[in-house]
Amino acid sequence: MNNDLPGTRKYEEVYGANQRVLRMERLTDPGDEHRITVLDCSSPGKEIAGCNVGKARNRLVHEATKRFRGNGRNGVLSHVDADVYFNDALFLRRAIDMFDDHDVIGVAGGKWREAFLADYPEYEPEPLRAALRQIGLWKQCVELANYLNGEPVLQAFGGSNMLSRCYESVAVGGIRSLEVDEDKEFGRRMWRYAEANKRKILVKKTELKVVALLRISERTGSSFKAQVETVLRGKELVVGHPDSSGALVVNRDTYEVLKFRALERTGGRELVEYVEDYGSVWIH
């Protein structure tokens, strides 16, 4: 896939990377290993018209459905991002086992974040390291504030690690053509389907995790260039106040207050365990 505009430098970079993937020997000649199918939606004439992240994710649903229907099976889709890797050697085994219960139609997984200072030579390493740590704290405060505002934080699907049964993914309408939050919107429809049909979705934010890159760019809403530069300019990050329309400055005291309030609620301990991992950034 290539979500960037043709003619731009980023488009050419992504196109080149995609072509290198397609030529990898591991894919063209898998030998005795598991066969991997790569969909070429990047080469000229094969692009997805008006591609966005929602359309890209829905291509997985579409292509997988054709294959599962062809062999008379309803399979499991593991939705991840291109910058994700599995540091748990048993991830796929754990994921598949969760669907041994035929009533389970989805899993909301979790993640750690990782960043490499050498990827960003335009920034001084140590100030950047401090900024990335502050962003991790900010993400923790955001999730706690959202939880205190009544949002279903633990139940939310995240595109870097979510699983769904194939046919049920089709039944809810697939993943819609959205620029942002296509994953959360898909998750809400999966939850509604599960409730209406007496099926189950598992929340495994701490038990089933991947490692995702913390990106510093302006490419998507999950790329943290604006936050990094705010911190590097000596400005403060803020989160919405859970009790008013105001804002709270992100610091360790704010985090501890929000954490204490979350722990007072039923289910708060599970939420805090997830949040502490969610804000962790492995910096190299």
Side-chain angles (χ1 to χ4, degrees):
M1 306 287 182
N2 196 340
N3 296 336
D4 295 283
L5 293 174
T8 63
R9 183 172 65 85
K10 191 64 179 177
Y11 177 89
E12 296 302 328
E13 288 178 2
V14 173
Y15 172 72
N18 289 350
Q19 293 303 305
R20 288 193 294 275
V21 168
L22 291 169
R23 293 193 296 270
M24 289 175 62
E25 184 179 353
R26 170 70 181 82
L27 303 179
T28 58
D29 183 20
D32 294 332
E33 297 187 74
H34 295 297
R35 183 170 297 277
I36 298 174
T37 300
V38 177
L39 305 176
D40 180 6
C41 300
S42 178
S43 297
K46 297 182 179 181
E47 302 98 332
I48 298 175
C51 188
N52 59 35
V53 65
K55 283 188 176 182
R57 291 194 191 283
N58 200 51
R59 179 57 66 93
L60 165 68
V61 178
H62 176 74
E63 296 290 341
T65 301
K66 289 195 300 185
R67 287 163 173 76
F68 285 130
R69 185 174 291 157
N71 59 30
R73 295 178 181 274
N74 182 8
V76 174
L77 308 181
S78 175
H79 310 254
V80 296
D81 290 330
D83 56 13
V84 158
Y85 70 90
F86 306 113
N87 70 326
D88 178 0
L90 296 177
F91 178 93
L92 292 178
R93 180 72 270 159
R94 296 184 206 280
I96 292 169
D97 287 349
M98 290 176 185
F99 287 85
D100 283 347
D101 180 344
H102 294 291
D103 284 334
V104 172
I105 64 168
V107 176
K111 64 183 174 183
W112 293 286
R113 285 188 174 85
E114 187 171 42
F116 295 85
L117 300 180
D119 287 347
Y120 306 101
E122 65 271 32
Y123 298 111
E124 290 294 327
E126 291 314 309
L128 179 57
R129 184 189 303 275
L132 293 173
R133 286 178 177 151
Q134 186 67 3
I135 287 170
L137 182 62
W138 171 68
K139 291 296 291 182
Q140 291 174 323
C141 290
V142 167
E143 292 293 84
L144 288 169
N146 287 342
Y147 173 74
L148 294 171
N149 274 323
E151 295 187 25
V153 171
L154 284 173
Q155 292 77 18
F157 275 36
S160 58
N161 184 17
M162 58 186 188
L163 297 100
S164 62
R165 283 198 192 274
C166 187
Y167 290 175
E168 284 74 8
S169 301
V170 174
V172 303
I175 300 175
R176 291 180 178 160
S177 176
L178 298 174
E179 296 283 352
V180 295
D181 289 342
E182 80 299 331
D183 44 4
K184 292 181 175 61
E185 196 275 340
F186 172 67
R188 287 192 290 269
R189 284 184 284 118
M190 289 292 288
W191 276 101
R192 288 197 293 269
Y193 182 95
E195 291 165 3
N197 294 278
K198 295 182 172 56
R199 308 293 291 279
K200 301 175 186 174
I201 292 179
L202 305 181
V203 175
K204 298 293 181 180
K205 292 286 180 78
T206 58
E207 299 94 331
L208 190 72
K209 292 186 287 193
V210 299
V211 182
L213 189 68
L214 193 159
R215 301 185 300 271
I216 303 174
S217 76
E218 298 172 313
R219 189 163 180 263
T220 73
S222 297
S223 305
F224 299 99
K225 185 178 180 68
Q227 290 80 12
V228 164
E229 297 198 343
T230 295
V231 175
L232 292 177
R233 289 196 305 268
K235 303 294 184 181
E236 294 171 321
L237 297 175
V238 299
V239 295
H241 198 295
D243 299 323
S244 70
S245 58
L248 295 170
V249 173
V250 172
N251 54 40
R252 181 55 57 178
D253 288 342
T254 295
Y255 171 75
E256 292 298 336
V257 169
L258 294 174
K259 174 182 171 181
F260 177 79
R261 292 186 55 187
L263 287 170
E264 291 183 312
R265 297 193 178 185
T266 302
R269 187 165 299 281
E270 182 183 5
L271 183 280
V272 168
E273 183 182 355
Y274 150 68
V275 162
E276 289 181 344
D277 272 347
Y278 183 73
S280 299
V281 181
W282 301 350
I283 304 173
H284 309 282

